[in-house]
Amino acid sequence: MENLTFVYCSCKVIWTLLITILGYSSSLPVGDDSICAAEELAKYSIIFTGKWSQTAFPKQYPLYRPPAQWSSLLGVTHSSDYSMWKKNEYASNGVRDFAEKGEAWVLMKEIEEAGEKIQSVHGIFSAPAIPSGTGQTSTELEVHSRHPLVSFVVRIVPSPDWFVGIDSLNLCAGDHWMEEVSVDLFPYDAGTDSGFTFSSPNFATIPQDTVTEITCSSPSHPANSFYYPKLKILPPIAQVTMVKLKKNQLGLPLSHFNLQAKSNEIIDSISETPLDCEVSQWSSWGLCRGSCGKTGTKIRTRFVLLHPANDGTPCPDLDEETGCEPDNCI
């Protein structure tokens, strides 16, 4: 009888341990190789800096209707169970609406539903829009030891469906939170609109394509607003910096943290992208004019498609003349 009691007690202890372990593991992010052992909560200031200047990106730079600018920033802190967007995967309906029109309602509903369903979301954060291509916007965010990842999107305005952002950046480094992180940002295509230029009309991509990074050579088409074939890599179009707040800094304005100001002049001086002149094909030759018995002349013309900028290759001659035998001589 004593042996049976011992076996029963042993089984009960093992079962209790098993339940405890399973319960703990179910609260951890699935698929995350490194478990965050830092303090439970941490707050960060997030500063988004637009670097979309006419000097760095001279091709088809939008000057009006509307001018170059950035939408509001929409982000989320989460576990690895949730994904706002991923390169080479299909954008959700919410990301599509945000990238194409700057509408956040569907994307926020998707985030809320993911948080309720699998407890993968800790919080949503947002920052105001920037009314020009260069400038800064900021806000604060809170991460949790079980939700240490940060994702966000900012729409490029105007554009067909282009955006910048971060996908699942981990702010936890083992047993501590990172003090400061800066990331250069490059443009992405949401894969839902087929326009090549900033001001392209709405032309849905059917079937939908995956999210892809826009580079200086891809899409490989001269009409592409980011097509700079002489560059090896595009200059960063934006940057994001996240700074961990100390407890005595919470609620203080961001100017208190002595962040480096980035004026338009400083940004423009960093990156000057040369833009070569682009001209059309030659027209057909005009009529040959001249006196009878003498060599006449005929002319063909072309026009400027893209004016040079930042010491790019200047435009060639737009007229060309050659000798000919007059058809209707005088």
Side-chain angles (χ1 to χ4, degrees):
M1 187 68 180
E2 289 179 0
N3 290 337
L4 288 174
T5 304
F6 175 75
V7 170
Y8 171 77
C9 292
S10 299
C11 290
K12 187 175 181 181
V13 169
I14 292 169
W15 180 252
T16 303
L17 281 172
L18 185 60
I19 292 297
T20 303
I21 291 168
L22 289 173
Y24 174 70
S25 62
S26 67
S27 67
L28 296 174
V30 174
D32 195 355
D33 294 331
S34 56
I35 304 303
C36 180
E39 59 181 330
E40 190 174 54
L41 294 173
K43 273 199 172 183
Y44 285 81
S45 64
I46 177 169
I47 306 97
F48 176 88
T49 303
K51 295 187 174 184
W52 185 18
S53 68
Q54 191 172 9
T55 303
F57 299 91
K59 187 174 183 180
Q60 303 166 2
Y61 188 80
L63 295 173
Y64 52 88
R65 297 183 181 177
Q69 57 191 275
W70 300 96
S71 77
S72 57
L73 178 152
L74 181 61
V76 59
T77 56
H78 59 95
S79 70
S80 60
D81 297 333
Y82 172 79
S83 174
M84 177 183 260
W85 65 276
K86 280 190 180 298
K87 183 179 177 180
N88 299 327
E89 293 188 7
Y90 293 104
S92 67
N93 291 335
V95 171
R96 178 200 63 202
D97 286 357
F98 192 87
E100 288 188 12
K101 298 172 283 187
E103 296 177 358
W105 173 251
V106 176
L107 181 54
M108 290 184 70
K109 288 293 290 180
E110 290 174 352
I111 296 170
E112 289 172 3
E113 287 171 2
E116 292 171 0
K117 186 177 180 181
I118 53 178
Q119 300 297 307
S120 58
V121 171
H122 179 69
I124 300 175
F125 58 91
S126 64
I130 303 175
S132 61
T134 58
Q136 289 186 333
T137 187
S138 59
T139 187
E140 292 182 1
L141 61 89
E142 184 180 78
V143 283
H144 187 275
S145 57
R146 293 198 301 272
H147 304 85
L149 308 180
V150 175
S151 297
F152 72 82
V153 287
V154 183
R155 180 177 182 246
I156 298 173
V157 183
S159 75
D161 60 342
W162 302 342
F163 69 95
V164 298
I166 278 181
D167 166 36
S168 303
L169 175 67
N170 195 342
L171 293 179
C172 183
D175 62 351
H176 66 278
W177 295 104
M178 300 175 75
E179 291 296 324
E180 182 172 338
V181 182
S182 289
V183 181
D184 287 333
L185 304 177
F186 299 89
Y188 281 88
D189 186 321
T192 60
D193 193 293
S194 297
F196 271 125
T197 67
F198 296 119
S199 55
S200 293
N202 184 36
F203 183 55
T205 302
I206 301 174
Q208 181 177 333
D209 204 351
T210 57
V211 175
T212 56
E213 184 176 352
I214 300 172
T215 70
C216 55
S217 58
S218 179
S220 182
H221 195 291
N224 177 17
S225 292
F226 287 109
Y227 186 70
Y228 297 95
K230 289 189 175 181
L231 295 182
K232 291 183 178 180
I233 186 172
L234 284 175
I237 196 171
Q239 184 184 61
V240 66
T241 300
M242 282 168 272
V243 181
K244 185 175 179 291
L245 301 179
K246 296 180 174 62
K247 291 182 179 179
N248 60 353
Q249 290 176 324
L250 299 180
L252 292 175
L254 291 177
S255 59
H256 175 80
F257 306 125
N258 195 28
L259 298 171
Q260 181 182 1
K262 295 181 174 67
S263 69
N264 293 357
E265 291 74 20
I266 294 173
I267 293 170
D268 284 354
S269 68
I270 292 173
S271 227
E272 288 196 1
T273 302
L275 184 65
D276 297 338
C277 178
E278 293 181 13
V279 295
S280 67
Q281 298 293 321
W282 287 109
S283 68
S284 301
W285 288 103
L287 294 175
C288 183
R289 299 186 180 279
S291 302
C292 294
K294 296 182 180 179
T295 300
T297 58
K298 60 182 178 180
I299 297 174
R300 64 178 181 174
T301 62
R302 57 187 173 184
F303 57 90
V304 176
L305 294 172
L306 195 64
H307 289 278
N310 304 331
D311 297 323
T313 304
C315 294
D317 293 334
L318 301 178
D319 299 316
E320 188 174 64
E321 185 178 293
T322 189
C324 58
E325 292 294 328
D327 296 324
N328 299 311
C329 54
I330 300 172

